[in-house]
Amino acid sequence: MNLVFGRLSRRSLVLALSAVALASTVSDAAAQSTIKWLHLESNPDRLATWQEIAANYEAEHPDVKIEFQFLENEAFKAKLPTLLQSNDAPSMFYTWGGGVLKAQTETGAIRDITAAMDADNGAWRNAVSPAAVDGLSIDGKVWAAPVQSGLVSFFYNKALFEQAGVDANGIKTWTDFTAAVQKLKDAGITPIAGGGGDKWPIHFFWSYLAMRELGKDGFDAAKAGEGFQGEGFVKASQMLADLGAMEPFQEGYLGATWPDTQAVFADGRAAMVLSFENTATPQNQANAATDGKGLAEDAIGRFAFPLVDGGAGVVTDDFGGLNGWVVTTNAPPETEDFIHYMTVENAGLLAEKNNILPTALGSDASVKDPSLADSAAQMAKATWHQNYLDQDLGPNVGRVVNDMSVELVSGQVTPEDALQQVQDAFSMEM
């Protein structure tokens, strides 16, 4: 699919969004619109790509100025609520979706962008992964424009798999996976690098197992009020507990931070890691490894989280991050058009220069890194994208999910007791 929308499509969009502003223009000065872009990007190379896109947009729209505003991640979280209620509110800002986005919609400080997505016969909506649009929608309204997604998969050391006689292509089900874990152990190889110290890396396992067991309908029903204590969640929790009983992780994994965990895999001290799509990129390998080099790019393979025998989930149900841009209530009407310009018309540029996985359909063709490209190809086929549960369920429930995932895998709690704690936290949020 051609990523670059025709001029008529984008002009139709900007004309529709700018009608009110144009009608109220009383002077040349008043026609100048400033889009205040609040972001968290500290990487100068990635920021340079954004600045290039902004400069090109300004050149095409002399009546629009784009003003960059930066906040460090923690400062952003702390200051955003106050900023949204002030006269200095940004026009657009970054969101993680899920419970975070839901809370933002309840402030009255942001506007839904459904009309913009559906303008021009749905040109914008139809150019973006449906799973991504759905992931940033609440009660049928789109509250953020998808820009990039992330995919959690298993990455494996090809040499260690070969040494143990494990064929990654044969890992299709959870039974296949646990058999592979046992073969690695029998060969004297640590099967999985685990990050129990930070907890959230272990919640990847519980989340995926629950998704594979219940499927989208079952998972959505739980979040809609049925809760997390049904048979499917019990089965998923028991599978995680059983995996932990196999002792598949490196020694001391319960205290390992995420950087520690990445180093275990990059050093070749464990055969697998359940991680983000950028785990296998050369730069991340070098940064994580003790020797500053890590595994060679062609030494790492990837496979999707396996299916559960008899489960309702399918392999095209993805799990990972989902990010988008929120538009504030009083933002200039050109803001949506600029976000469309950046995230759809320039999706290929973002993929190529910033090494991200854009949500625009067809953008996977512009991803150059082999590891990222493989993940992008899978994401392009996604039937459901579930955001990280510690974000999707909100910070309070998410924290309990993270805690219980670690306690389950380490044998400190039964599935029933773990799910009771998750349900108690969830009920308090209802």
Side-chain angles (χ1 to χ4, degrees):
M1 175 176 179
N2 187 353
L3 281 177
V4 180
F5 269 54
R7 291 297 176 191
L8 287 177
S9 294
R10 191 161 64 76
R11 282 176 180 168
S12 296
L13 180 61
V14 71
L15 285 172
L17 293 171
S18 301
V20 174
L22 290 172
S24 62
T25 299
V26 295
S27 67
D28 291 341
Q32 179 74 34
S33 293
T34 299
I35 298 173
K36 299 178 181 178
W37 182 352
L38 178 61
H39 67 90
L40 298 78
E41 186 57 69
S42 58
N43 183 306
D45 294 331
R46 290 191 175 193
L47 184 58
T49 305
W50 289 357
Q51 291 170 334
E52 176 184 344
I53 292 171
N56 290 339
Y57 187 85
E58 288 176 332
E60 293 183 27
H61 302 81
D63 57 338
V64 177
K65 175 180 174 56
I66 298 169
E67 179 182 294
F68 284 82
Q69 301 174 337
F70 170 77
L71 280 177
E72 183 274 330
N73 187 59
E74 294 305 315
F76 172 84
K77 294 176 183 178
K79 295 181 179 180
L80 182 62
T82 302
L83 272 177
L84 291 179
Q85 303 300 328
S86 74
N87 293 328
D88 295 322
S91 306
M92 54 184 281
F93 63 88
Y94 198 64
T95 187
W96 291 271
V100 173
L101 180 60
K102 186 175 187 299
Q104 290 166 349
T105 68
E106 294 168 351
T107 65
I110 70 174
R111 67 186 183 220
D112 80 83
I113 60 169
T114 310
M117 296 287 289
D118 291 337
D120 202 11
N121 296 316
W124 189 351
R125 182 188 290 271
N126 295 332
V128 180
S129 162
V133 175
D134 183 63
L136 294 176
S137 298
I138 299 171
D139 296 331
K141 295 181 178 180
V142 186
W143 287 96
V147 58
Q148 71 181 64
S149 189
L151 178 65
V152 173
S153 308
F154 276 108
F155 294 85
Y156 68 95
N157 184 313
K158 293 179 180 179
L160 294 182
F161 264 46
E162 183 177 357
Q163 183 180 327
V166 175
D167 179 10
N169 293 323
I171 302 177
K172 304 298 183 184
T173 68
W174 187 248
T175 301
D176 298 332
F177 178 77
T178 55
V181 168
Q182 190 58 56
K183 288 188 75 171
L184 288 161
K185 285 181 64 70
D186 291 344
I189 298 168
T190 298
I192 310 172
D198 282 337
K199 298 186 178 180
W200 54 261
I202 304 299
H203 112 284
F204 292 170
F205 288 88
W206 186 83
S207 302
Y208 252 134
L209 285 168
M211 289 174 62
R212 295 294 193 247
E213 180 63 42
L214 283 93
K216 185 179 189 301
D217 289 345
F219 214 86
D220 285 349
K223 293 193 293 182
E226 287 189 9
F228 296 86
Q229 293 178 288
E231 181 181 357
F233 286 105
V234 174
K235 287 183 178 179
S237 300
Q238 187 61 58
M239 282 186 276
L240 180 56
D242 292 343
L243 174 66
M246 296 180 70
E247 299 184 348
F249 302 109
Q250 79 274 17
E251 184 176 351
Y253 82 95
L254 285 175
T257 64
W258 184 240
D260 296 335
T261 306
Q262 290 180 300
V264 169
F265 180 70
D267 289 348
R269 291 181 277 137
M272 290 181 280
V273 64
L274 184 58
S275 183
F276 322 107
E277 66 283 340
N278 60 6
T279 286
T281 60
Q283 188 59 55
N284 279 8
Q285 280 288 303
N287 291 341
T290 303
D291 64 3
K293 298 179 181 179
L295 302 172
E297 185 177 286
D298 60 359
I300 303 171
R302 187 196 72 88
F303 60 90
F305 196 94
L307 297 172
V308 168
D309 292 320
V314 295
V315 75
T316 50
D317 291 343
D318 290 344
F319 174 77
L322 179 59
N323 305 112
W325 292 103
V326 171
V327 179
T328 56
T329 302
N330 296 319
E334 295 89 351
T335 306
E336 283 92 339
D337 182 62
F338 170 67
I339 294 175
H340 170 270
Y341 177 83
M342 174 180 64
T343 62
V344 176
E345 296 188 44
N346 284 278
L349 183 66
L350 291 172
E352 182 178 354
K353 288 195 172 183
N354 284 10
N355 269 340
I356 66 168
L357 301 181
T359 52
L361 295 174
S363 58
D364 54 302
S366 299
V367 179
K368 302 304 181 184
D369 182 272
S371 172
L372 292 175
D374 190 40
S375 294
Q378 179 180 329
M379 286 174 53
K381 303 172 185 176
T383 47
W384 167 34
H385 185 87
Q386 172 58 52
N387 197 16
Y388 300 125
L389 289 187
D390 56 355
Q391 295 174 1
D392 189 47
L393 299 177
N396 294 329
V397 183
R399 182 169 54 251
V400 177
V401 168
N402 290 345
D403 289 346
M404 290 305 101
S405 296
V406 172
E407 293 189 20
L408 278 166
V409 82
S410 58
Q412 300 177 56
V413 67
T414 66
E416 291 77 11
D417 288 345
L419 293 172
Q420 182 64 61
Q421 293 189 53
V422 173
Q423 183 59 40
D424 287 347
F426 179 73
S427 296
M428 292 180 66
E429 297 293 320
M430 293 292 288

